[in-house]
Amino acid sequence: MKIQEKEGMAMRKKIIWMAFGITALMLMFFLAICQKKNGDADYQDEVEYVIGVSQANMREAWRLALVKEIEKEVKKHPEIRIITTDATELVDKQKQDVDKLLKFGIDLLIISPCDTRELTEKVKEVYEDGTPVIVMDRSVEGFEYSLFIGPDNDMIGRQAGESVVELLEGEPGKVLKLCGDAYSVQNQERIQGFDSVVQKYPQIEVSTNYFDTEQKDIAYDAILEMGEELKDIDVIFGNSDYVAKGAYDALEYLGLEKQIKIVGSDGFTEREDGVDMILDGKIAAMISCPTGGREAIQYAISILKQESGVPKQVILRSHTITKKNAISYLEDLEKETVDDGRMITVGYSQVGQESQWRLANTRSIQEAAQEFKIKLLFDDADQSQAKQIAAIRRFIKEKVDVIVVSPVVATGWDDVLREAKAAGIPVVMSDRKVETREKDLSTTYIGADFMEEGRRAMRWIRDHIPAGKKTHNILELKGNEGASPTVERGKGFLEVLRECPGYQIVYSEYGNFTYEEGKQIIEEYLQRESWDIDIIFAHNDDMALGAIDALEEYGISPGTDVKIISVDGTKAAFRAMVGGKLNCAVECNPLLGAPLMKAIRDMISGKEMPVRIITEEKVYDQSVAEELINSRAY
Ligand code: GYE
């Protein structure tokens, strides 16, 4: 072979090897990219948090929907993994499930308890051991958990009752309450809410058909078995999607589906579930029972990241779904929330400066506005409703994004709230509530459970001042007349008092939550021929402190000769307990700023506002006052 030919062959071989090498390199590069894309190549432990989900059972449709909603929300957060357990409605198994999840090293527990009382201790144990706990749907007793998220079943029942009344158009009619698992806590609350509305219409006759589980075939059979009884029925209220579906199928079989209308509750959104049945014209109205799964993951992330503003309880809003709004309801569920961090302007109408609680509340609101980058227009109304109404009108004129009101009294707000609604400005009630003739004039209430505070005050008296041969005489110092804390603390106190023979309220007077008026009421009472009071129940600390000074000036030893119980739990109250002059302070947390501003930012970012946001509260007495006083935040 000639040299040239040899050299040519060698060159050809070199080119072929080079081409092979380049191809091999490109192939390896391509494979690496593919592996990188499906995440296998460089295993990145992207999981930051593992959340345990302990579900009471996965048999009930609503509970399954809760887990599915959690799973759907988690998919948006690659840094989270969940482990779900099914207690099959067995208390002991749920306790074992929780222990197992803890052994897996979860960072946070979400639990929907089989039984509130039976799981209270287990939840408290986990929480106090340092693992955050979110309780769903059925709350446990007390406040030993991070957050409770659940529906307002009484409200769901009331909305169902209103739908039935609307369907009957004011005419006489016969309504059948068709309820599976009717004696569970949540269904009892729904039935109570339903009855509270329908009972106002004497022309509506109500019958019941209760059975033990919310299965559609049991509801189907229950309707078929009713036979002749169905002929006068105009509307059926089914307390769940599946009960409503079973009822519809039975009516369709009997050829009665056009004659008898159905109102259901839960409002699942899968094919052939509640909302579908609305769109198909099978069900006239469906009251949604939000599961809270989406909110649970959103709040879990805030808790794990130790963000401020997480409240103690979030009560979710239920919607009345009809053919008119079903599509928009489904669209809203899918709406993504984006907080673009833009400046939000909030108009805040504050009651005044009547108490230490109020001053702490104002500080909390103002500090949180800064923290959450919210421009605050703040008005102090000096306990005048007229000034508050004028301030709200100013906020409307200035086109603020949100109006927040701490209403000095509960009534008299309809007109100005209607003006805010007409201007498209959402109104949040902070601290105190309002009662309006028209529904939905305010979006959310954030504050305390005043009824529970009143109950706690009387429970403390019952447990620490034993009834004796002589009946204990109680003097009650009340807040502003017509203010929700005054009305509800008084109601809660009386609710427990009625169960406690050996105690009676012998005198009750409005002190408007101020020190001066609390002192004045006691001074005037001391002018009577004899002092016959054993216990003073003050609706807030400032009035209690006024009473203490009045008693001391008169030579009566407060805390000893007369036991004094107040509400708020301010540092001044702790000082009085340390000094033995006050016996008990039921906490009412004024630090609403962070949960309020977080809820406002969430609302502006598109999240649905809960119907109520409740803060954490405890009961303190002289046995813990000295140990805790320096840690008090207000
Ligand atoms: O108890 C009292 C304040 O609205 C809960 O008002 C608040 C009450 C609180 O003046 O100190």
Side-chain angles (χ1 to χ4, degrees), residues 477-478 511 513-519 522 536-551 558 563-568 570 572-573 576 581-585:
L477 296 172
K478 296 188 285 188
F513 293 121
T514 66
Y515 166 87
E516 294 77 12
E517 291 174 85
K519 186 169 191 284
I522 299 302
I536 292 175
F537 166 47
H539 286 195
N540 85 323
D541 294 343
D542 299 70
M543 293 190 292
L545 296 169
I548 286 168
D549 289 351
L551 290 169
K563 305 296 184 194
I564 303 177
I565 292 86
S566 82
V567 184
D568 281 350
T570 57
K581 299 176 182 177
L582 178 68
N583 301 87
C584 168

Side-chain angles (χ1 to χ4, degrees), residues 571-631:
K571 196 163 265 189
F574 272 72
R575 275 195 291 275
M577 286 194 283
V578 169
K581 299 176 182 177
L582 178 68
N583 301 87
C584 168
V586 174
E587 185 176 33
C588 174
N589 189 338
L591 307 181
L592 302 177
L596 170 67
M597 298 304 169
K598 174 177 170 49
I600 287 174
R601 285 225 76 97
D602 284 350
M603 172 168 59
I604 297 293
S605 68
K607 283 183 190 161
E608 178 170 73
M609 286 294 274
V611 71
R612 267 194 322 281
I613 297 174
I614 304 295
T615 50
E616 172 164 11
E617 306 187 330
K618 293 189 167 77
V619 180
Y620 301 99
D621 60 25
Q622 291 177 5
S623 63
V624 295
E626 187 132 23
E627 169 204 344
L628 296 177
I629 188 166
N630 293 327
S631 65

Side-chain angles (χ1 to χ4, degrees), residues 354-355 357-358 431-432 450 485 489 513 539-540 568 588:
E354 76 284 359
S355 62
W357 188 98
R358 185 67 55 200
D431 160 34
R432 297 183 183 178
F450 300 132
R489 282 171 188 163
F513 293 121
H539 286 195
N540 85 323
D568 281 350
C588 174

